[in-house]
C-alpha cells in the first residue's frame, strides 16, 4: 500500500518532502510558539481578567462615539484590531461570541471538536487532546486558568451554541452594544 500524501495534518512530514517552508522555521516550531503564548495567557488569566474588565468599561464609555459613527462603520477596523490582538494572545478563531472571560482565558474554539461546554471523553492521561496528541486539551487549560480568576466559577455556566453568522465579527463591539442597551433600559425603568 502506498504512503498517503502529506497534508496539513502532518506538517513535519510535509516539510521533509521538500515542500516550501520559511527558512529556519519548522511548521511544528511555529505551532509550538502559538501554544506557548496561549499557555502563557492561561497562566496569567487573573491579569487578563483584570485588564479586560477595565478595557470593557473603557469601551462602554466610548459607546457614544461608536453610536455617533455607527456600529456598522466601526466594525471593520475594530474587528481588525481584535483579530490580531486575540490571535496572538489566545490563538482566537474569531467566532464572534467570545467566552474567554468564562473559560480561564483558554479559547474553546481551539478545541478540534469546537466544544464550548467542557471536554470530550477523550482527554488523555497527560492532559492532552485525543485528536491532536501534541496539543494540551483546551478544557484542561481552561480549568487551570479559571482557578486563577476572581470570577473563575463562570466556567460552570453553560455556553450557547456558536452562531456561525457572527463569525469574523467583533465580540468587543457586541458586548459593548449589549451592555449599553441594558444600561439604557435600566435607566428607562428608573425614570
Amino acid at each position: 500500500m502506498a504512503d498517503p500524501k502529506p497534508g496539513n495534518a502532518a506538517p513535519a512530514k510535509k516539510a521533509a518532502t521538500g515542500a516550501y517552508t520559511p527558512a529556519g522555521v519548522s511548521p511544528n516550531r511555529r505551532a509550538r510558539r502559538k501554544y506557548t503564548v496561549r499557555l502563557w495567557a492561561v497562566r496569567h488569566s487573573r491579569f487578563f481578567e483584570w485588564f479586560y474588565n477595565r478595557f470593557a468599561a473603557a469601551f462602554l464609555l466610548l459607546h457614544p462615539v461608536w453610536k455617533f459613527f455607527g456600529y456598522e462603520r466601526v466594525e471593520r477596523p475594530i474587528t481588525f484590531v481584535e483579530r490580531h490582538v486575540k490571535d496572538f494572545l489566545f490563538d482566537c478563531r474569531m467566532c464572534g461570541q467570545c467566552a474567554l472571560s468564562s473559560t480561564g482565558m483558554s479559547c474553546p474554539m481551539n478545541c478540534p471538536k469546537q466544544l464550548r461546554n467542557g471536554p470530550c471523553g477523550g482527554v488523555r492521561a497527560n492532559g492532552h487532546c485525543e485528536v491532536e496528541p501534541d496539543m494540551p486539551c483546551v478544557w484542561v487549560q481552561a480549568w487551570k486558568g479559571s482557578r486563577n480568576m476572581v470570577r473563575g466559577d463562570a466556567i460552570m455556566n453553560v455556553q450557547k451554541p456558536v452562531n456561525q453568522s457572527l463569525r469574523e465579527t467583533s465580540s468587543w463591539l457586541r458586548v459593548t452594544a449589549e451592555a449599553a442597551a441594558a444600561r439604557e433600559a435600566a435607566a428607562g425603568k428608573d425614570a
Side-chain angles (χ1 to χ4, degrees), residues 3-42:
D3 289 336
K5 291 184 179 181
N8 289 337
K13 285 184 180 178
K14 188 174 182 179
T17 65
Y20 173 76
T21 56
V25 180
S26 75
N28 288 340
R29 199 166 85 212
R30 278 196 309 258
R32 206 172 319 126
R33 196 173 302 141
K34 279 245 188 208
Y35 293 145
T36 302
V37 174
R38 188 190 322 168
L39 295 176
W40 179 84
V42 169

Side-chain angles (χ1 to χ4, degrees), residues 124-170:
R124 296 173 185 264
N126 65 356
H128 284 214
C129 175
E130 77 171 338
V131 177
E132 294 185 32
D134 293 339
M135 182 177 91
C137 173
V138 170
W139 284 99
V140 170
Q141 297 305 313
W143 183 257
K144 289 178 183 176
S146 72
R147 297 303 90 199
N148 296 333
M149 296 171 67
V150 173
R151 290 191 51 241
D153 290 339
I155 197 168
M156 299 301 209
N157 298 341
V158 176
Q159 299 291 322
K160 294 178 185 173
V162 176
N163 180 348
Q164 298 296 338
S165 68
L166 297 177
R167 190 170 288 286
E168 297 299 322
T169 62
S170 174

Side-chain angles (χ1 to χ4, degrees), residues 79 82-83 86 92-96 166-170:
T79 301
E82 182 177 347
R83 176 182 299 111
K86 288 168 59 176
C92 175
R93 301 288 182 235
M94 288 302 289
C95 69
L166 297 177
R167 190 170 288 286
E168 297 299 322
T169 62
S170 174

Side-chain angles (χ1 to χ4, degrees), residues 4 10 22 43 45-46 51 66 80 86-87 108 112 115 119 123 128 139 154 158 164 180 189:
R43 281 194 311 271
S45 58
R46 181 175 227 137
F51 181 81
W66 309 139
F80 176 82
K86 288 168 59 176
D87 179 52
L115 299 176
V123 179
H128 284 214
W139 284 99
V158 176
Q164 298 296 338
K189 284 183 179 180

Side-chain angles (χ1 to χ4, degrees), residues 46-67:
R46 181 175 227 137
F47 166 75
F48 283 109
E49 178 186 35
W50 173 86
F51 181 81
Y52 178 74
N53 289 335
R54 271 110 192 119
F55 177 79
F59 234 61
L60 187 56
L61 289 175
L62 292 172
H63 170 67
V65 174
W66 309 139
K67 196 172 179 182

